[in-house]
Structure formats: C-alpha cells, structure tokens
Amino acid sequence: MADAALRLTTLAEELLGAPLPVRIRAWDGSEAGPPGAPTLVVRHRRALRRLLWRPGELGLARAWVAGEVDVDGDLYEALDLLAGIFWERGGERRSAVRAVRAARDPRLRAAALGLLKLGGPLPPPAPPAEEVRRRTGPLHTKRRDKEAISHHYDVGNDFYELVLGPSMVYSCAYWDEAGTLEEAQRDKLDLVCRKLGLKEGDRLLDVGCGWGSMAVHAAREYGARVTGVTLSREQAVYARKRIADEGLTDRIEIRVQDYRDVRDGPYDAISSIGMAEHVGRVRYREYADQLFSLLVPGGRLLNHQIARRPERNESAYRVDEFIDRYVFPDGELAPLGRTVATLEDAGFEVRDVHAIREHYGRTLRAWVANLEKAWPEAARSTSAGRARVWRLYMAASAVSFERNRIGVNQILAVRSPGSGGSGVPLRSRDWR
Ligand SMILES: C[S@@+](CC[C@H](N)C(=O)[O-])C[C@H]1O[C@@H](n2cnc3c(N)ncnc32)[C@H](O)[C@@H]1O
C-alpha cells in the first residue's frame, strides 16, 4: 500500500491532463510530486471516495470540510497552484466536468477503482453536514434569500467576533494609512461617510447593516440618524445591544427586514456595503430602482460590491460550486460594467468608481490570521467543519482578489435633481 501518493498523483494528472502543481502525502506516509512544493495531505482513504465521486473543486472541498485533506506549507500558495487547475488565462473556468468525462475512460476508471480498493470497502460518501443541498426553483425570492442569509450569518456571533475582531465589519477594509484591521475598518467606514457627504441630522439608510458597525460610526461621528436593515436575526440582536451600549438608541433603528420592504423614504443617503452580492442578476434592476426611489433628489448611494471579471458565459455569474454549497448559497457576482449600467438605467448619475481589490486581499488575510490564532475556540463556537469552510473560503478569496480573478469597487451614485446640480464637490481630494 506504500504507493498511494504516487498512484493518486498519476491518476490526478491523467484526469486533469496537466502536471499536478502540489505534492501529495497519503495516509500511508507515501509522498509524490514536485519537491519543495506545498503538500496536499490526504489524511484518510475516505477522501478518495469524495475526490473520485465528484472530481474537481467540489470533491476536494468536501474532503477538506470533512477534515480528510489538509495543506502542509503555505496555504495561499497551495490554493493559488490548485486554482490554476480550475482556471485558465482570461478567467474562464476549466470545467471540472472535463475531469468527470475523463473518468468515464475505462483505463482511468480501473485506476480509480484500484485506488479505492486500497483501503478496503467503505460506505458511499455522504456530503459533510455543512453543505447546502442544491436547490431548484426561482432564485432570490424573499423566502429563499432569507434561508440563504441565515446559512451564512446565523452561525453564531461569537464565531464572527473571533474572525472579524472587535470592529465586527464583514467587508473589505481600507488600508491606505492603517496598520491594523481595526484601523483599516474604521477608515473604510469613515471613507464611506465622507463620500456620502453625511452631515448632522441626515437620514442614512444602511442596507445589509451586518452587526451595526456603519450605523454606529455614522451616528457617533457624523450625527446621522440611521436605519439599518439586515435579514439576520443574530446580527440584529448583536447590533441593538451594541447601539444601546454606545448610548445611540435615539439615533439608530435596526430592523430585520428585506431591503425590498423598506417603505419609509426618503433618505438623504444610502450605504450598501457587501450586500449587493446577495441580490442576484434577476433582481439587480429592482434593487437599483428601490434604492433610487428611497433617496431625496440630490441623495447619494455608496454601493460597495464585489465584482467578477467579465465573461462570455452568463452562468459564470453564479459563484463557484464550493462557495455556493458551503458559503454563500445563491451568491452571484456581476462584472463592474454591468452594475454601473444598471445603476444608470435606474436613473442614477454615477460619479465615482473606486477599485480597491488589493485591500480585500489584505483584509481576508487578516481574518484568516484571526481564525487560525483562535482555532480551537472558533471550532467550538460553531463546528470544526464550518471553521474549515471559512478558513478555506477566505484564503481562496484572498488569492482570487490578489490574482485579479475578482475585484471590489465602491461606486458613488447620485439621484441628481432635474436642475442638474449633483451636490458632489468639485474637489474630491477629501476622499481619494
Ligand atoms: C457581507 S454582510 C455585510 C455587513 C455590513 N455591511 C458590513 O460591512 O459589515 C451582508 C449583509 O447583507 C444582508 N442582506 C443580504 N441580503 C439582504 C436583503 N435581501 N435584505 C436586507 N439585508 C440583506 C445580510 O443580512 C448581511 O447583514
């Protein structure tokens, strides 16, 4: 049995039609692959079942979540190398389907079955408990969105506190001058307030308010009166307590409410930070119309949103399979141009686009470092599987931002009045 790693490497290379860029160490202690490269540790023969049952990204993710595979060495480098297997230049996905097709080749099947037999009979692989089953039916109904949000955000505030740190901001920070995550998150919130031109007494709507960080910052530092909406009950409970502790209850209201149900406009400004990724292509125009209708003439929207590179294939707007099943069910990423065009179609005047993807790579690395530092506690506060999901998704996302597979942009848009005066200062040096 001492050749498990070599047999696995050979099979993987045949399936992929390319050399495996990482080393493999198998459960029997055998090793194969390029010397010095990060090592994919296959801890248990059960991993073979998952990898061969569903070759590609999902099989690998399932084995990872179940704790059957791990990385020895630099996690980011390993993920970068592995991502290269699934992506080709130009950002088009090298479909795992190709590997599945190849697995129908009788010679490869025989090799795969031989590998499976190595460890003796095993029950068929059940997906780890943290996986969301593939769902059918229309995307982005209010009910379905609520369930999807609950999967991601109602995993326990304690867990998020460990990962995000005291700022409890779950979106890209701004590292222009900051040295710590806390400072960078504060600077991001302040940047948004400045772009929105907030003044004492302004009504701000924060859609997708998370744990209330933007609401607190805008009320405390700018004297704004804020309404925050989130679909997550756990977030709302946390945000309300925090607001009470800060003595800001007279200035901030937090609601568990869908952005589509907000009716009490007009607002002077709207912030949407890290929420539009949940909206979906079919609803995006409705989202833009809704935010437009909630603003006073001259009111500003700051839309802070992850974008994917433009692709010919429309289905590519859905997030990758691992992310869809384990992290953000039904999440969708649109290219920047489409988002800008939709905001314009809804009547907005787009005044500024600030691309900050490098800042997200750094933010994600800080979250991964927090998680790794508090690993036993983090696994206890949720489950070991979920903690592994978060570590993998955040590290892989960091690499995706750094490699320009995805980006993140702050778009400043104004409901400019008929007279044409946008109210945006001639000098924007203050916030750039
Ligand atoms: C990535 S978090 C960002 C939270 C916060 N803005 C921050 O930067 O920390 C996304 C937020 O969007 C909210 N959300 C997603 N879909 C929503 C919807 N349809 N209506 C209201 N909130 C929604 C989630 O509940 C969550 O609070």
Side-chain angles (χ1 to χ4, degrees):
M1 219 203 271
D3 62 349
L6 186 61
R7 288 174 70 175
L8 197 51
T9 304
T10 311
L11 179 65
E13 292 190 341
E14 290 224 36
L15 282 171
L16 296 163
L20 204 59
V22 293
R23 274 182 87 66
I24 290 195
R25 185 186 312 138
W27 61 94
D28 60 356
S30 60
E31 284 202 29
T39 304
L40 192 66
V41 184
V42 183
R43 291 196 192 289
H44 201 284
R45 60 197 166 85
R46 263 197 309 270
L48 292 179
R49 294 237 145 195
R50 295 190 210 284
L51 295 171
L52 298 169
W53 192 271
R54 194 67 161 73
E57 186 185 303
L58 190 59
L60 199 55
R62 282 178 173 160
W64 174 278
V65 178
E68 295 158 3
V69 303
D70 202 351
V71 165
D72 191 2
D74 186 329
L75 177 62
Y76 298 96
E77 190 189 346
L79 290 172
D80 195 17
L81 292 168
L82 288 168
I85 295 174
F86 299 109
W87 291 80
E88 283 170 336
R89 275 187 55 221
E92 280 196 55
R93 236 172 289 181
R94 176 184 293 188
S95 167
V97 174
R98 214 185 287 172
V100 178
R101 266 195 223 116
R104 297 209 183 102
D105 174 329
R107 202 174 41 86
L108 290 177
R109 273 193 74 82
L113 288 172
L115 256 177
L116 280 179
K117 278 193 197 129
L118 264 185
L122 284 167
E130 290 76 10
E131 179 169 333
V132 174
R133 286 224 316 265
R134 184 177 282 294
R135 294 173 299 170
T136 50
L139 284 166
H140 302 298
T141 60
K142 287 183 191 168
R143 189 171 163 184
R144 185 165 164 163
D145 280 351
K146 198 160 177 104
E147 283 168 15
I149 292 299
S150 185
H151 172 84
H152 189 80
Y153 296 99
D154 291 338
V155 305
N157 291 331
D158 295 349
F159 177 72
Y160 277 109
E161 272 185 328
L162 292 171
V163 175
L164 305 179
S167 69
M168 286 300 265
V169 183
Y170 195 22
S171 46
C172 173
Y174 193 58
W175 296 88
D176 193 20
E177 290 176 347
T180 66
L181 177 62
E182 289 310 300
E183 290 163 2
Q185 288 295 12
R186 187 207 52 215
D187 289 355
K188 187 271 299 295
L189 297 176
D190 206 70
L191 180 68
V192 173
C193 291
R194 295 200 310 276
K195 286 180 176 181
L196 288 173
L198 283 187
K199 313 179 297 298
E200 175 86 29
D202 274 358
R203 282 193 85 204
L204 169 71
L205 172 66
D206 185 36
V207 290
C209 67
W211 292 268
S213 309
M214 174 66 190
V216 167
H217 189 87
R220 194 181 52 208
E221 307 299 327
Y222 289 81
R225 293 171 296 144
V226 191
T227 302
V229 299
T230 171
L231 285 182
S232 158
R233 287 195 178 281
E234 291 204 24
Q235 286 182 339
V237 168
Y238 185 99
R240 286 180 192 134
K241 169 155 191 326
R242 192 174 173 193
I243 288 158
D245 291 348
E246 291 262 355
L248 291 168
T249 39
D250 59 331
R251 287 185 170 268
I252 306 173
E253 182 194 2
I254 299 293
R255 302 179 196 152
V256 178
Q257 188 177 41
D258 195 293
Y259 71 88
R260 286 163 277 198
D261 294 330
V262 176
R263 300 268 177 269
D264 60 348
Y267 285 87
D268 299 297
I270 299 178
S271 47
S272 173
I273 309 176
M275 195 206 81
E277 297 82 346
H278 294 291
V279 167
R281 197 157 29 108
V282 287
R283 298 278 179 186
Y284 206 87
R285 177 60 197 268
E286 184 186 338
Y287 162 80
D289 287 344
Q290 163 73 344
L291 299 191
F292 187 84
S293 74
L294 285 168
L295 279 172
V296 293
R300 297 185 198 171
L301 163 69
L302 193 289
N303 188 74
H304 172 122
Q305 184 182 338
I306 299 173
R308 72 156 61 243
R309 313 279 328 142
E311 291 185 52
R312 283 186 298 275
N313 177 1
E314 285 273 309
S315 69
Y317 294 93
R318 296 291 301 273
V319 291
D320 298 340
E321 209 166 3
F322 160 62
I323 301 279
D324 192 43
R325 298 282 191 104
Y326 283 98
V327 189
F328 292 111
D330 299 340
E332 283 179 70
L333 300 180
L336 172 62
R338 181 184 283 245
T339 300
V340 167
T342 311
L343 291 171
E344 287 184 329
D345 287 345
F348 280 107
E349 183 192 359
V350 172
R351 295 297 308 223
D352 187 61
V353 175
H354 190 178
I356 53 172
R357 72 180 166 80
E358 292 83 357
H359 296 253
Y360 221 153
R362 210 163 150 187
T363 307
L364 283 152
R365 282 177 183 255
W367 292 341
V368 171
N370 282 348
L371 176 59
E372 288 174 345
K373 212 164 53 206
W375 188 261
E377 220 181 325
R380 254 198 322 276
S381 70
T382 169
S383 69
R386 255 194 214 264
R388 278 196 289 268
V389 168
W390 256 245
R391 180 163 176 255
L392 178 62
Y393 116 75
M394 293 192 301
S397 301
V399 172
S400 292
F401 282 106
E402 287 160 5
R403 289 285 184 185
N404 193 23
R405 293 193 185 109
I406 50 178
V408 61
N409 305 286
Q410 289 197 339
I411 303 171
L412 179 65
V414 185
R415 178 176 174 161
S416 295
S419 62
S422 72
V424 176
L426 286 178
R427 261 172 34 149
S428 57
R429 224 179 292 160
D430 185 34
W431 36 262
R432 291 307 292 273

